Amino acid sequence: MPKKINLIKFLCLLVYLGCVSANTLHYQPQQIHLSIGDEPNSIVVTWNTIDNPGKSMVEYGINGFILTASGTRKLFVDGGKEKHSQWIHKVTLSDLEPDIKYIYHCGSNLGWSAEFFFKTFPDGNNWIPRIALFGDMGNENIQSLPRLQEETQRGLYDAIIHVGDFAYDMNSDNARVGDEFMNQIQSIAAYVPYMTCAGNHEESFNFSNYRARFNMPGQTDNMFYSFNMGPVHFIGFSSEVYYFMNYGIKSLVNQYEWLEKDLIEANKPENRKERPWIVTFAHRPMYCSNENGDDCTHYETLVRSGLPFSEFFALEPLFYKYGVDLEFWAHEHSYERLWPIYDYKVYNGSYEEPYRNPRAPVHIITGSAGCKEGREPFIRKIPEWSAFHSQDYGYTQLYAHNSTHLELKQISVDKAGAVIDQFYVIKDEHGSYTKTD
């Protein structure tokens, strides 16, 4: 009997010294982020655990954790050699009071996160959404993150829009780079909705890391969807369906049909009156003046002109027809503002005020948040349709003041947060540009 007890003590000592592997379980929530839900006045909380705790819960409230919501979890297995796996949890908080600060934490009885907070949107359209937009932000050289962390937690934004290309790449090192990146942005994304679209760096294993890690509205695997904030109707979609045809044409067809239906609905008189601004975002731009071989440097880009020879699924005429006001893009690791443009022709409102009642959409490229690939150069002779360009690391701020005024600012991280570009888009009426042809 004493020999048996001594053996147990010896094995325990080996475990303590790390000589024998113990079965360690990981139930602690990580990679916590928010998104706008499908239901009115709802927020989706998403997080990951290494092991399955058996429950997915959020405790929340205005003055303490008074309310509890339960959700679902799915096992995600990365496509890499190690088949790195984790559980992704999703809980929807419904029927939230408008314009109220809530505190919350997420997890289960086996482990809870730290306490976070978020503020719900006011009702209706008579308020000013404040949004930071950027693309191409990686795990390395993540230049814009510190300023965005501070500004978000100080309450300067109502939402973040990440215009494709995450982590570089989320599947790298058997998805560990993706894990680290999601933990890095938690200090932003756990406080405001972090809205996304897919970029080319998400392509591996048919965008599996991107599809699994986020929960955008619309039940379309985060690839295309829309949401409303104040006087703005936002549309996020995938430019990548034009470039990765190895996954088939069905995704492109479905997205295009959905886009037109969404634009038709947004342009119904009662809806356009309620939310007059239509703003789109996707990763690869229709135009750019960068000096590289990217598609936007070619005259007939796929997103703009559609499939070669047929021009099927061309988005520029679609957005022109349905009066899209503002189009955000990334992919180029730089910032560029265009004059109002359609088919390479500038349609300024006037010489003195080009963005007052423009006769075509306004394009912004905001892909300079910071990644390991560095900055993108520009060609020597900038085209006449390009109004402003910069290689500074930074991000864009959008303020939707009312039904007539949108304000945009470009923040330079290189210049310690200085505003290097600022302008207003002013419209007395909204709708199809074909009326002005």
Side-chain angles (χ1 to χ4, degrees):
M1 188 71 174
K3 289 183 178 180
K4 186 174 183 181
I5 294 174
N6 289 336
L7 178 60
I8 293 172
K9 287 181 178 180
F10 178 69
L11 290 173
C12 290
L13 179 62
L14 288 177
V15 170
Y16 176 76
L17 295 175
C19 299
V20 175
S21 175
N23 184 24
T24 304
L25 297 175
H26 300 273
Y27 296 131
Q28 197 63 30
Q30 56 177 300
Q31 308 176 40
I32 300 158
H33 54 284
L34 306 177
S35 57
I36 296 169
D38 284 305
E39 307 163 19
N41 300 319
S42 67
I43 287 288
V44 177
V45 185
T46 303
W47 71 95
N48 295 30
T49 58
I50 301 301
D51 294 300
N52 183 8
K55 290 185 178 181
S56 307
M57 296 188 294
V58 175
E59 295 181 337
Y60 65 105
I62 299 169
N63 295 307
F65 300 140
I66 306 300
L67 304 170
T68 301
S70 298
T72 60
R73 60 209 162 275
K74 290 183 178 179
L75 180 65
F76 170 63
V77 181
D78 174 63
K81 291 181 179 179
E82 291 185 13
K83 303 301 178 186
H84 173 54
S85 66
Q86 56 195 295
W87 290 85
I88 300 180
H89 305 255
K90 173 184 176 181
V91 174
T92 300
L93 310 183
S94 303
D95 299 321
L96 299 171
E97 294 294 325
D99 203 17
I100 291 291
K101 180 180 178 181
Y102 283 86
I103 62 170
Y104 76 97
H105 67 178
C106 59
S108 70
N109 293 332
L110 296 177
W112 292 97
S113 72
E115 178 184 306
F116 299 98
F117 63 83
F118 63 86
K119 191 169 183 283
T120 53
F121 302 155
D123 267 343
N125 66 342
N126 191 24
W127 59 284
I128 304 174
R130 305 160 302 164
I131 301 160
L133 303 100
F134 53 83
D136 303 83
M137 190 164 76
N139 172 246
E140 298 177 47
N141 192 33
I142 191 168
Q143 296 280 334
S144 298
L145 184 64
R147 297 197 67 88
L148 288 165
Q149 289 170 328
E150 181 181 1
E151 291 174 350
T152 300
Q153 293 184 33
R154 284 169 53 199
L156 299 189
Y157 302 120
D158 300 297
I160 300 290
I161 295 178
H162 189 142
V163 193
D165 278 7
F166 306 78
Y168 285 74
D169 296 343
M170 286 196 286
N171 64 288
S172 295
D173 191 17
N174 291 284
R176 290 184 181 87
V177 170
D179 293 341
E180 178 58 27
F181 177 80
M182 298 302 294
N183 279 320
Q184 285 175 296
I185 66 167
Q186 177 178 284
S187 53
I188 302 172
Y191 296 93
V192 296
Y194 199 92
M195 310 306 289
T196 63
C197 67
N200 56 294
H201 277 270
E202 284 68 73
E203 180 268 338
S204 291
F205 315 117
N206 196 9
F207 300 87
S208 63
N209 268 269
Y210 173 76
R211 292 175 189 268
R213 291 177 185 271
F214 293 101
N215 281 302
M216 297 299 111
Q219 309 300 316
T220 58
D221 279 350
N222 313 313
M223 301 305 279
F224 51 88
Y225 61 95
S226 62
F227 61 94
N228 297 319
M229 288 184 68
V232 184
H233 181 68
F234 286 98
I235 302 174
F237 65 96
S238 172
S239 58
E240 304 316 296
V241 294
Y242 289 84
Y243 298 92
F244 294 104
M245 299 295 288
N246 49 307
Y247 297 118
I249 198 173
K250 185 177 180 181
S251 296
L252 173 57
V253 175
N254 290 344
Q255 175 176 272
Y256 187 88
E257 291 177 348
W258 176 90
L259 272 170
E260 184 158 31
K261 288 179 182 177
D262 191 83
L263 287 166
I264 290 171
E265 184 68 20
N267 273 280
K268 288 181 178 178
E270 62 273 23
N271 292 332
R272 200 81 201 237
K273 182 179 179 181
E274 181 75 11
R275 290 186 172 85
W277 296 102
I278 297 179
V279 176
T280 66
F281 58 95
H283 187 61
R284 300 201 207 200
M286 297 184 185
Y287 302 88
C288 70
S289 59
N290 297 90
E291 190 173 32
N292 53 38
D294 289 345
D295 194 35
C296 58
T297 65
H298 304 150
Y299 189 84
E300 297 288 347
T301 63
L302 294 179
V303 175
R304 186 181 80 83
S305 304
L307 299 183
F309 309 113
S310 68
E311 296 186 352
F312 289 161
F313 314 115
L315 291 184
E316 188 173 43
L318 186 74
F319 290 172
Y320 187 80
K321 176 181 178 181
Y322 291 107
V324 170
D325 301 291
L326 191 58
E327 301 177 27
F328 283 100
W329 312 94
H331 193 57
E332 306 305 310
H333 301 163
S334 54
Y335 169 77
E336 187 165 18
R337 165 170 55 90
L338 277 58
W339 299 119
I341 190 171
Y342 178 70
D343 196 21
Y344 282 93
K345 184 177 179 181
V346 172
Y347 286 90
N348 289 345
S350 66
Y351 181 81
E352 297 80 10
E353 296 182 289
Y355 297 107
R356 180 183 287 273
N357 296 318
R359 292 168 293 135
V362 176
H363 294 244
I364 299 292
I365 300 171
T366 178
S368 58
C371 69
K372 67 181 182 181
E373 292 182 354
R375 311 169 195 258
E376 294 276 11
F378 289 93
I379 59 176
R380 290 186 178 181
K381 186 177 181 181
I382 300 297
E384 62 178 10
W385 40 261
S386 179
F388 181 89
H389 64 282
S390 172
Q391 287 183 287
D392 284 10
Y393 287 117
Y395 50 93
T396 307
Q397 295 174 337
L398 171 65
Y399 303 90
H401 288 287
N402 48 44
S403 63
T404 60
H405 287 67
L406 288 183
E407 181 184 8
L408 292 101
K409 298 179 181 180
Q410 181 64 15
I411 306 301
S412 169
V413 172
D414 292 350
K415 296 181 174 63
V419 177
I420 59 172
D421 190 35
Q422 182 176 12
F423 71 105
Y424 285 84
V425 180
I426 303 171
K427 285 196 168 184
D428 297 317
E429 61 179 26
H430 300 261
S432 175
Y433 298 105
T434 58
K435 299 176 183 177
T436 62
D437 285 352

